[in-house]
Amino acid sequence: MALNLSPERRAEVDRFMRGLIRRNPGEPEFHQAVREAAEYLIPFTHERPEYRHARILERLTEPDRAISFRVCWTDDAGNVRTNRGYRIQFNNAIGPYKGGLRFHKSVNASVLKFLGFEQILKNSLTTLPMGGGKGGANFNPKGKSDGEMMRFCQSFMTELHHYIGQTTDVPAGDIGVGTREIGYLYGQYMRLSGTFDGVLTGKGAAWGGSLVRTEATGYGLVYFMKEMLRTRGDGLRGKTCLVSGAGNVAQYTVEKLNGLGAKVVTLSDSSGFVYDKDGIDAEKLGWIMELKNERRGRIGEYAAKFGCEFHAGKRPWGVPADLAFPCATQNEIGRADAEALVANGVIGLAEGANMPTEPEAMDVLLKAKILYAPAKASNAGGVAVSGFERTQNSMFLSWPRAEVERRLQEVMKEIHRKCVRYGRQGDFVNYVRGANIAGFVKVADAMLALGVV
Ligand code: NDP
């Protein structure tokens, strides 16, 4: 909850949330994401009454459209299977809808609406012209063969292609959707549309992708932490770090932290976490990448291979460290986890995953006044480079690696500057306030200019 909210403003937020919950019943993740933002945005709209008059927040929390569709496919045993696909086109006031596709068994309208709503503010923060959207399917990729993945992706795209386009909606990857899946999706899109227009981002470098896209979210996350530390005259060198997850974001977070002289001692997946006191160096990370990206194995195998601790069914937040980077999934840090982090002396936490911190845990981190970056600021590097990929596709050229990295660093610095501008409270920077308000202002001004539509 936002700190220092007056009783009057809290009542106003509660009233707003009651209406939202009534209109969107049974969608707890969506309610959580909106409440987090509303606690900062509603008080802010009292400084800018034109936003209140135009009902910007009410309009911003209602998706432009929410599409759901059947996805039928046949598994290797010949059984016909049915899943549900979605695309939430949330807001395109500042550019075409942009946001990832998630394939996970937990996907439903609530999860995608929370992600789509956050994506509006995140995309706005990047300074690029991108609206917010999100999509996916309640499909579990675990244990699926290559052929099954391809047939599922082709069936999914056969329906989705009606709704996307270079100037309308440009999806990307997310949990369960990496380069392999983007390839199958894009292949089917090209077959159906007869165009090579780069409508998906996260493509391989040989077929329209941008260099550094794969690394971008993790690298951007570390750049953001570096900026936060700089405000306290500190740096990454020698810091002990906790990272959760072992997928795309986690892997490149570890790579960049190693590159900048920090030591990462944990990684996790849905089966538990590993604690490697000696640090997960470049060689061990290479092994993890092969395990997760090629063999699609479980994190416990790392402990067996390198002789370190494996904690089945647990999260890494009780391990003593200086910095924490949750990079797995939503709500992976509860109140007790946050209390353990603070008690162990953590000085900074930057969210790689979307909404990994539960509201009560967020309170603990804000009260402790550690350097705490919400996802919409700190993991925006991925979508920023997706935006660069779209730009390169439109121009039919490819920027060199150094050019993309330079632009990524600039974007992360700019996001940090904006968060400080709107989040400074005395000698403390509330990055949650800063990110929500800075992201909101640009979209709200565009919505005012575009009239009541
Ligand atoms: P991946 O699919 O590559 O990896 C996800 C990782 O999180 C896996 O290690 C997975 O373990 C773990 N995980 C997933 N669900 C759970 C769970 N319920 N409990 C514990 N662990 C879990 O996804 P990404 O790395 O791409 O995404 C991670 C997070 O970052 C997500 O929140 C995503 O929205 C966010 N993000 C990603 C971006 C990107 O560019 N990829 C951009 C911005 C945000 P297991 O294999 O066991 O399921």
Side-chain angles (χ1 to χ4, degrees):
M1 282 199 287
L3 304 174
N4 311 324
L5 214 53
S6 70
E8 206 184 352
R9 293 289 168 264
R10 174 139 329 274
E12 199 179 339
V13 170
D14 287 345
R15 213 166 34 246
F16 175 81
M17 287 308 301
R18 276 198 298 277
L20 184 110
I21 292 166
R22 201 171 51 243
R23 292 191 298 280
N24 302 273
E27 298 187 348
E29 292 87 357
F30 180 49
H31 306 160
Q32 182 182 337
V34 172
R35 178 178 278 278
E36 181 213 300
E39 289 187 346
Y40 292 101
L41 297 179
I42 287 178
F44 178 68
T45 59
H46 282 269
E47 295 168 31
R48 301 285 296 270
E50 63 274 27
Y51 295 158
R52 294 166 61 72
H53 181 69
R55 302 259 173 197
I56 297 292
L57 196 55
E58 284 81 349
R59 290 159 58 194
L60 195 66
T61 49
E62 186 67 35
D64 290 355
R65 64 195 63 77
I67 301 150
S68 106
F69 48 91
R70 186 179 63 235
V71 186
C72 286
W73 55 287
T74 307
D75 68 20
D76 287 346
N79 302 308
V80 174
R81 310 275 289 260
T82 304
N83 290 93
R84 185 175 297 169
Y86 301 87
R87 187 70 183 163
I88 312 289
Q89 298 181 330
F90 224 117
N91 184 292
N92 65 353
I94 63 167
Y97 306 106
K98 182 103 198 72
L101 297 171
R102 177 176 290 193
F103 291 168
H104 193 269
K105 60 186 178 187
S106 65
V107 162
N108 55 32
S110 172
V111 168
L112 296 180
K113 280 163 75 176
F114 118 61
L115 290 163
F117 174 71
E118 293 238 309
Q119 198 81 44
I120 305 169
L121 303 176
K122 179 188 308 192
N123 291 1
S124 163
L125 278 172
T126 65
T127 71
L128 304 175
M130 302 187 289
K134 200 81 189 187
N138 64 344
F139 168 78
N140 184 2
K142 285 209 184 81
K144 301 293 186 297
S145 70
D146 233 26
E148 288 174 328
M149 284 308 299
M150 184 172 74
R151 290 195 294 281
F152 179 81
C153 288
Q154 290 176 340
S155 179
F156 183 86
M157 182 52 80
T158 300
E159 185 64 25
L160 183 71
H161 92 284
H162 294 300
Y163 310 106
I164 61 177
Q166 204 192 20
T167 55
T168 50
D169 186 352
V170 184
D174 190 70
I175 290 182
V177 180
T179 312
R180 174 182 67 164
E181 290 73 27
I182 292 288
Y184 295 149
L185 291 163
Y186 192 46
Q188 182 72 353
Y189 172 83
M190 287 201 292
R191 189 172 176 197
L192 291 166
S193 67
T195 58
F196 193 108
D197 58 13
V199 73
L200 292 168
T201 59
K203 300 186 290 299
W207 37 281
S210 173
L211 294 172
V212 197
R213 172 59 191 94
T214 313
E215 299 89 334
T217 307
Y219 280 17
L221 179 65
V222 178
Y223 294 146
F224 197 90
M225 178 60 86
K226 194 174 152 197
E227 289 304 307
M228 290 203 297
L229 287 167
R230 202 201 298 271
T231 65
R232 296 192 181 173
D234 205 348
L236 284 160
R237 188 157 293 282
K239 295 285 187 298
T240 300
C241 306
L242 309 178
V243 176
S244 68
N248 171 270
V249 179
Q251 291 170 13
Y252 290 99
T253 297
V254 177
E255 184 169 285
K256 187 52 81 180
L257 284 169
N258 282 341
L260 295 175
K263 179 165 93 168
V264 178
V265 293
T266 65
L267 277 174
S268 71
D269 66 15
S270 52
S271 65
F273 80 91
V274 290
Y275 177 27
D276 185 345
K277 291 185 181 68
D278 298 331
I280 300 166
D281 61 17
E283 198 184 322
K284 292 172 179 171
L285 178 62
W287 191 88
I288 285 274
M289 287 179 171
E290 202 268 329
L291 173 78
K292 284 293 177 185
N293 309 347
E294 309 299 328
R295 287 196 284 124
R296 299 180 193 270
R298 312 304 294 152
I299 198 72
E301 295 174 46
Y302 176 97
K305 165 88 181 162
F306 295 105
C308 66
E309 294 173 22
F310 173 58
H311 298 264
K314 297 254 162 43
R315 301 155 170 172
W317 314 124
V319 174
D322 304 305
L323 302 172
F325 299 87
C327 297
T329 193
Q330 62 268 14
N331 293 329
E332 53 169 315
I333 300 182
R335 174 192 281 275
D337 298 316
E339 284 168 352
L341 286 165
V342 170
N344 281 334
V346 157
I347 57 170
L349 183 149
E351 297 180 343
N354 285 310
M355 206 169 75
T357 312
E358 290 180 356
E360 302 75 28
M362 206 180 256
D363 282 356
V364 173
L365 302 177
L366 287 170
K367 277 190 190 129
K369 297 201 167 178
I370 68 162
L371 297 166
Y372 167 46
K376 52 175 82 74
S378 52
N379 76 13
V383 74
V385 175
S386 278
F388 298 156
E389 181 173 334
R390 198 185 63 184
T391 306
Q392 293 169 76
N393 289 161
S394 305
M395 298 191 297
F396 289 98
L397 54 74
S398 302
W399 291 336
R401 170 172 285 271
E403 168 83 7
V404 184
E405 269 221 54
R406 183 184 60 74
R407 287 175 184 265
L408 171 62
Q409 287 194 49
E410 268 173 22
V411 165
M412 298 315 295
K413 278 188 184 167
E414 181 56 26
I415 296 174
H416 183 266
R417 265 195 293 274
K418 285 189 194 170
C419 288
V420 172
R421 175 172 168 208
Y422 287 101
R424 186 171 285 292
Q425 295 172 330
D427 60 355
F428 171 63
V429 178
N430 182 335
Y431 288 89
V432 184
R433 180 177 201 274
N436 279 303
I437 294 179
F440 175 72
V441 166
K442 181 176 173 187
V443 179
D445 287 344
M447 288 173 73
L448 281 181
L450 295 169
V452 179
V453 289

